[in-house]
Amino acid sequence: MISKNVRVRFAPSPTGFLHIGGLRTSLYNYLFARHHGGTFVLRIEDTDQSRYVEGAEADIIRSLEWCGMTVDEGPGAHAEKPGAHHDGPGAHHDGPGAHHDGPFGPYRQSERKAIYAEYTQKLIDNGSAYYAFDTADEVEEMRERLIKSGNPSPKYDYITRQSMKNSLTLPEDEVKRRLEAGDPYVIRLNVPRNKTVKFEDEIRGVVSFETKGLDDQVLIKSDGMPTYHLANVVDDHLMQISHVIRGEEWLSSTPKHILLYEAFGWEPPVMAHLPLIMSPSGGKLSKRKAESEGIPVNTKDYISGHYEPEALVNFLAYLGWSPGDDSEIHSLEELCELFTLDRVSKGGAVFNHKKLLWYNEQYLRQQSDETIAARLRAMDGDLVDAMPKQNLVTAVGLLKERVSKIDELLEMGRFFFEDPQEVDPAAMKKWKEDSAELVGEYRKRVDAMPSSAFDATSLKSTLEEIVNERGIGFGKLMMPLRIAVTGQGFGPDLFESMALIGREAVLRRLASAVERLG
RNA sequence: GCCGCGUUCGUCUAGGGGUUAGGACGCCGCCCUUUCACGGCGGUAACACGGGUUCAAAUCCCGUACGCGGUACCA
């Protein structure tokens, strides 16, 4: 049974735009938190200064918001709206020590250095950690030496540390002298030699590792920053995180974390390692792979690509989880209700872009024509403004069953807004010898129609007249007409479309097609 | 290499001792539509392999293979 205080965190590092895999991890954390009436914390793991990317944090926050996930605690979680206070432009509440983002702040690890130092000292004091003065080069040298002598995965461990420069091998006074002299050092975890580390993973069951396969993980780097391993344990404890739900790539470093909890004398949170999202060609869905397979990797690409956020959320939720029934479509609220960890699958899940598009269609079609029309106007005002509002709404109704994403409406419906500039080469196969003559005849009759009669019904009966008179197939005139009016071989109902485009433009396009296509 | 984790239709998955192994995406066909789609109906297609345990194994156990992850002063 899940205890009362569920607190989970999404802890991305701001090294780039939010990856789709990170977004799913975040989603599962969010769903779990909401399902149990718990708290969803966002923590920024910016301990690697060399990989820090400006704007990454803002991208993460924006991505979560776009999906509809609300952060309970984290940077900006309780930020006031600009202008709510009379602090004047440029007034800043953020910065080191700001705790208004939640009761356990700060939520950026770079702002918690003092905390890590304090806790690391406890580890030093109780012998669970030690100072190591070896330079990066020296460690590298050691590795190479070991590799040469046939050790495929050299480690700074129980054995090798005995020949390195650290507070376990150096005389006490030299350690003291080096520390006082300000010699650079790292702090390493003192991993015991022969111990079995066991823990129960909510998704995988009992997992166990032998400590002899682990190295003396660096806890504090020489720049004074903690590594992920230390920071994540200290923060999860201090922030009272109840469940750690993260990607499977963390599974093998979990024993180090367990060792740390033990060294501190803390109860570890419940662990749950999620299956990875895989690329269709196999392997973890990396940027390179995904993009070469036409899959956007960054959440921002889905935003700018005009995907429906509900569709992405729904799709991602089902990538590695299922509610156990035959349902497919669920809102974020419903997913919160349904989500449990015991229904998360163990194996990696291949990203299926076509299924995502199917989800996108579902969510697009359930929106009213008016809503979509308004969104179109916001997307491309210039093009869309050429058309009266009501006509645009009608056009949306004609088009929306035929596209996967909202931006495709602009492409497919371009002919509603402007005369076709050229004909789709694929469609030209349907333009035959007699097409020009037939289209010309059709134009003549439409021209002769009173403008009051210019509607879908008479547009259609006019075509039927000609076809019947000549004893030819419907499509014989239908397709050339479509090509002349839209420049395409497919699209919404032609007669409705022509009625919407209007008499003047239709006559103009027919004449132009007869002339240009012969 | 070593350590860990996985493995049910092409893909996402349900099913956890007795099922005609279910659904969804995709694909194919038919119907609707004198057009493209939507929609409706139908079809294709899976328990990685080998041993056990059992009256009975996709399901439990052990191997093997394959895949993936990790093996950093990156997260």
Side-chain angles (χ1 to χ4, degrees):
Chain A
M1 200 58 231
I2 309 281
S3 61
K4 47 269 146 226
N5 284 329
V6 165
R7 289 177 56 81
V8 294
R9 62 4 177 233
F10 175 50
S13 77
T15 53
F17 299 109
L18 180 59
H19 186 275
I20 197 72
L23 186 67
R24 189 194 57 156
T25 300
S26 172
L27 177 63
Y28 282 22
N29 273 282
Y30 176 82
L31 295 178
F32 184 78
R34 291 292 171 265
H35 183 86
H36 294 289
T39 304
F40 177 58
V41 178
L42 173 64
R43 187 174 69 218
I44 302 296
E45 311 236 334
D46 54 349
T47 54
D48 186 353
Q49 296 174 316
S50 65
R51 292 210 303 158
Y52 182 80
V53 171
E54 193 66 38
E57 182 183 314
D59 177 75
I60 290 162
I61 292 170
R62 184 171 88 108
S63 296
L64 300 188
E65 272 173 7
W66 180 74
C67 288
M69 291 184 244
T70 51
V71 172
D72 300 315
E73 291 174 27
H78 295 179
E80 285 138 293
K81 296 259 186 297
H85 273 293
H86 300 285
D87 293 332
H92 252 281
H93 287 289
D94 290 340
H99 280 225
H100 65 264
D101 293 337
F104 299 94
Y107 292 90
R108 284 184 201 95
Q109 293 185 329
S110 59
E111 294 168 15
R112 301 170 62 83
K113 274 176 80 169
I115 299 171
Y116 306 124
E118 175 193 342
Y119 282 92
T120 309
Q121 190 56 49
K122 297 187 187 200
L123 259 23
I124 296 270
D125 292 345
N126 73 15
S128 306
Y130 61 90
Y131 297 101
F133 300 96
D134 320 275
T135 65
D137 285 345
E138 286 167 338
V139 173
E140 189 48 39
E141 229 167 78
M142 176 269 281
R143 283 217 172 81
E144 274 165 27
R145 202 171 60 236
L146 257 40
I147 286 172
K148 257 185 213 138
S149 66
N151 184 338
S153 52
K155 288 182 286 289
Y156 198 116
D157 63 9
Y158 189 91
I159 306 291
T160 53
R161 72 181 173 227
Q162 290 173 47
S163 57
M164 302 299 280
K165 288 184 291 189
N166 53 60
S167 58
L168 263 21
T169 58
L170 263 20
E172 203 173 315
D173 56 338
E174 185 180 348
V175 171
K176 202 168 168 228
R177 186 188 58 72
R178 281 174 175 267
L179 254 21
E180 278 166 3
D183 278 13
Y185 64 85
V186 299
I187 295 176
R188 286 181 181 270
L189 179 64
N190 187 350
V191 176
R193 207 245 258 240
N194 273 319
K195 191 177 168 184
T196 304
V197 181
K198 264 197 190 132
F199 61 93
E200 173 137 17
D201 187 278
E202 275 295 284
I203 294 169
R204 284 149 219 286
V206 175
V207 180
S208 86
F209 291 81
E210 298 301 320
T211 53
K212 58 170 170 276
L214 306 179
D215 63 355
D216 286 357
Q217 184 61 52
V218 169
L219 265 19
I220 297 285
K221 300 182 265 190
S222 56
D223 64 0
M225 277 291 192
T227 56
Y228 168 85
H229 305 285
L230 194 246
N232 126 279
V233 166
V234 170
D235 289 348
D236 284 343
H237 176 74
L238 261 25
M239 294 181 181
Q240 297 176 19
I241 297 302
S242 60
H243 296 72
V244 169
I245 303 170
R246 80 233 289 195
E248 194 186 348
E249 70 267 30
W250 294 110
L251 189 58
S252 25
S253 43
T254 303
K256 291 173 184 173
H257 306 161
I258 298 292
L259 250 20
L260 277 168
Y261 283 105
E262 286 175 3
F264 282 120
W266 296 337
E267 176 85 6
V270 175
M271 299 290 176
H273 289 90
L274 267 21
L276 261 20
I277 297 181
M278 317 290 277
S279 147
S281 66
K284 193 156 85 165
L285 188 73
S286 67
K287 188 178 166 62
R288 235 185 67 101
K289 271 194 166 161
E291 278 166 3
S292 74
E293 286 158 35
I295 299 170
V297 251
N298 296 320
T299 310
K300 78 159 170 57
D301 299 329
Y302 291 87
I303 301 175
S304 62
H306 305 288
Y307 285 77
E308 305 300 316
E310 298 85 350
L312 218 214
V313 162
N314 201 150
F315 169 73
L316 249 23
Y318 272 73
L319 207 54
W321 171 86
S322 89
D325 55 25
D326 287 344
S327 63
E328 299 283 345
I329 306 289
H330 288 293
S331 66
L332 186 59
E333 291 68 35
E334 290 165 347
L335 290 169
C336 291
E337 188 94 356
L338 294 166
F339 186 84
T340 53
L341 282 177
D342 62 315
R343 300 211 57 88
V344 172
S345 34
K346 298 175 172 70
V350 174
F351 192 102
N352 185 342
H353 193 244
K354 282 196 169 156
K355 188 152 192 182
L356 203 213
L357 288 178
W358 176 79
Y359 271 113
N360 208 76
E361 290 161 12
Q362 306 304 310
Y363 283 96
L364 183 61
R365 285 166 201 167
Q366 80 184 27
Q367 290 170 47
S368 72
D369 298 348
E370 287 77 10
T371 303
I372 295 174
R375 290 178 56 197
L376 247 23
R377 227 171 258 289
M379 280 167 60
D380 190 340
D382 290 346
L383 187 63
V384 165
D385 280 349
M387 188 174 240
K389 181 171 188 279
Q390 192 44 53
N391 286 13
L392 178 62
V393 172
T394 308
V396 167
L398 254 25
L399 290 164
K400 81 171 175 189
E401 307 282 274
R402 288 156 229 272
V403 299
S404 294
K405 294 197 296 125
I406 190 170
D407 55 339
E408 292 168 11
L409 289 173
L410 253 19
E411 277 313 302
M412 184 177 276
R414 197 159 204 95
F415 67 86
F416 280 122
F417 314 117
E418 57 190 22
D419 288 4
Q421 301 305 305
E422 55 199 36
V423 175
D424 177 358
M428 272 312 284
K429 277 185 291 207
K430 302 280 182 173
W431 186 274
K432 301 279 169 50
E433 286 290 297
D434 56 351
S435 294
E437 196 273 323
L438 284 166
V439 170
E441 176 60 24
Y442 184 80
R443 184 190 182 281
K444 201 157 57 173
R445 298 200 191 186
V446 171
D447 197 17
M449 268 164 51
S451 35
S452 60
F454 190 86
D455 59 28
T457 312
S458 38
L459 251 13
K460 185 175 184 185
S461 55
T462 302
L463 179 137
E464 282 164 345
E465 267 171 41
I466 297 177
V467 162
N468 290 338
E469 281 169 21
R470 310 208 175 190
I472 56 173
F474 192 83
K476 213 63 174 131
L477 176 48
M478 175 76 201
M479 286 313 288
L481 221 42
R482 182 183 281 289
I483 290 166
V485 175
T486 72
Q488 298 167 336
F490 54 87
D493 184 275
L494 183 58
F495 307 104
E496 296 285 356
S497 298
M498 288 197 287
L500 200 56
I501 291 165
R503 177 190 163 92
E504 193 191 328
V506 167
L507 289 174
R508 181 174 66 236
R509 292 181 191 187
L510 294 182
S512 148
V514 168
E515 189 184 322
R516 285 190 303 156
L517 305 174

